[in-house]
Structures are given as structure tokens and as C-alpha cells.
Amino acid sequence: MQLPANAFKAALRAGRPQIGLWLGLADAYVSELVASTGFDWLAIDAEHAPNDPRSVLAQLQALAPYPVHAVVRTVLVPMVESAEQAARIVAATRYPPAGIRGVGSALARASRWNQVDGYVHGCAQETCVLVQVESAAGLDNLRAIAATEGVDGVFFGPADLAASLGLLGKTDAARVQDAITHGIKTVRAAARAAGVLSADPTIARKYLAAGALFVAVGIDTTLLVRAARDLRALFKDAAASPHGTS
């Protein structure tokens, strides 16, 4: 059995933009539903959403038959603020002597339970390490973070970044957008892929135009709430009218 190629990593290296969606409902059926809609990648949030290893596993299994790449928010590592942190993250994805990853491939789904030929020697080449910069300190150290050997991409978290800049809840503020746009260019100058989340189509396109290569353009929870509210609003007049009247 051969090691599966990481199409997402290959696309980033080739400079092909990848459009994604954030998954926070922590449900395999929902994740599979979204997987059928044509996004390039889906982020399974294991930081803010009520996910645990088994719920993440169920979602990975649900996504597997579809041509979409899963990015887990414990592999897309949040709140990275220094090159030293980035280097430790890379080390955690590599087997010794290159890193500190524990060798347990016989139990690992990624190795197909030791059925992938040469897995322990070749898996690093298909592992995509993404770090999140979402603070003023991270921005200060961005050039060094992006240059860290083994880091494939840097993802900007607008919500935490806005809060760190004293603009809590104002992810669309010009200062936040400018910081991210400049950050994208810094990351691309280091020959790394830049990513970001923005549910505002205009802002998302701005980041794509600046050179971002993996952009999440929505969140499943927000989509569901918005659609439900909009649908309910269509029938407010019916709730206000007596039965039997037009």
C-alpha cells in the first residue's frame, strides 16, 4: 500500500488557491453533508468547538470518500508567537531523529495500521504543518515564524488578532485588514502559503488578491443560524395574522 499524496499540500506549493469552510458543529453527518458541496478543504475545529479525538475521527472518516482535504485545528496549531514555538510544532510531527513524534504507527489510521509501505520514513513529506498567527506578538515575529524549516503555511486568525490589537470584535477594522494583508505578503515572501478566515466575501477576496492561498470563507454554525433566521423572517407576517385571514 502506498502513502497517499497530500493534494492540499501540493496545491499550496503550486500556488493554487484553496477555498475552505470552518466546521464547528462537531458532527460527522454535518461534515459529510458539507463535504459534498465542493469546497477544497474543511477545517475541523478542535479548539473552540466541542470536539474530542473520537468526534474528530468520525468526521475524518466521513470526509474520506470525498475530494476535500481535512485540516484539523490541532494540526493547524493556534496562537503561535515565535519561531521557537513553530520549531517545536514541526518537531512534534516528525519521528526521531528529526523530531519528537511518538512511534506508534501500528495503531495509526494514517499508516493504515502499518500497511503503508515505508510510512515512518516517508510520512513527513506528505504532512502539511500549518501554524496560526493571531496576536501582535506573532506579527512581530512573523518573518522568523514563516522561515522556520518544516512550516508549510501560516494562517491568520482575525478574531484573536483583532482582540490583540485592541479591537475586540472588529475583525473588519482597517487596521486588522492591513495587518493581515501585510502578513500575507510577508509569508509569501518566505515561500510559504498564507491562509485566513473571513466570512465577508469582499474581505475574503481582498485577502486572495493579496496572495492568500488557503482561505476559509464561512463557518457551518453561522451559515445554519443565518439561513434559519432568514427563513423564519419570511413568515413573521403569518405569525402576526389571525388564523383564517389574508
Side-chain angles (χ1 to χ4, degrees), residues 6 8-10 12-13 75 90 93-94 124-131 145-146 148-155 187-188 190-195 213-214:
N6 188 328
F8 177 76
K9 183 174 182 177
L12 296 185
R13 285 186 169 180
V75 176
V90 173
T93 70
R94 268 53 171 175
Q125 68 188 20
E126 299 299 341
T127 300
C128 190
V129 178
L130 306 172
V131 298
I145 291 170
T148 301
E149 184 68 28
V151 168
D152 295 294
V154 177
F155 187 88
V187 171
R188 293 302 306 276
R192 301 293 194 267
L213 287 177
F214 59 113

Side-chain angles (χ1 to χ4, degrees), residues 22 41 43-44 46-47 71-80 89 128-134 153-156 195 214:
W22 219 256
W41 63 282
I44 300 173
E47 182 186 10
V71 174
V72 182
R73 192 105 179 268
T74 49
V75 176
L76 169 61
V77 184
M79 204 56 74
V80 177
I89 291 162
C128 190
V129 178
L130 306 172
V131 298
Q132 244 178 291
V133 168
E134 44 190 344
V154 177
F155 187 88
F156 296 96
F214 59 113

Side-chain angles (χ1 to χ4, degrees), residues 157-160 162 167-174 176-177 180 197-198 203 207:
D160 280 300
L167 297 164
L168 179 64
K170 298 179 180 179
T171 58
D172 60 347
V176 176
Q177 292 187 51
I180 292 174
L197 164 65
S198 179
I203 297 176
Y207 293 147

Side-chain angles (χ1 to χ4, degrees), residues 166-246:
L167 297 164
L168 179 64
K170 298 179 180 179
T171 58
D172 60 347
R175 186 180 171 200
V176 176
Q177 292 187 51
D178 289 345
I180 292 174
T181 300
H182 179 72
I184 291 169
K185 293 177 180 178
T186 299
V187 171
R188 293 302 306 276
R192 301 293 194 267
V196 67
L197 164 65
S198 179
D200 183 313
T202 300
I203 297 176
R205 288 186 178 277
K206 176 181 178 179
Y207 293 147
L208 283 163
L213 287 177
F214 59 113
V215 179
V217 295
I219 306 171
D220 58 356
T221 53
T222 304
L223 292 174
L224 180 59
V225 168
R226 182 183 300 140
R229 287 173 63 93
D230 289 349
L231 182 60
R232 181 64 185 90
L234 292 175
F235 292 90
K236 280 188 175 180
D237 58 334
S241 300
H243 289 295
T245 62
S246 59

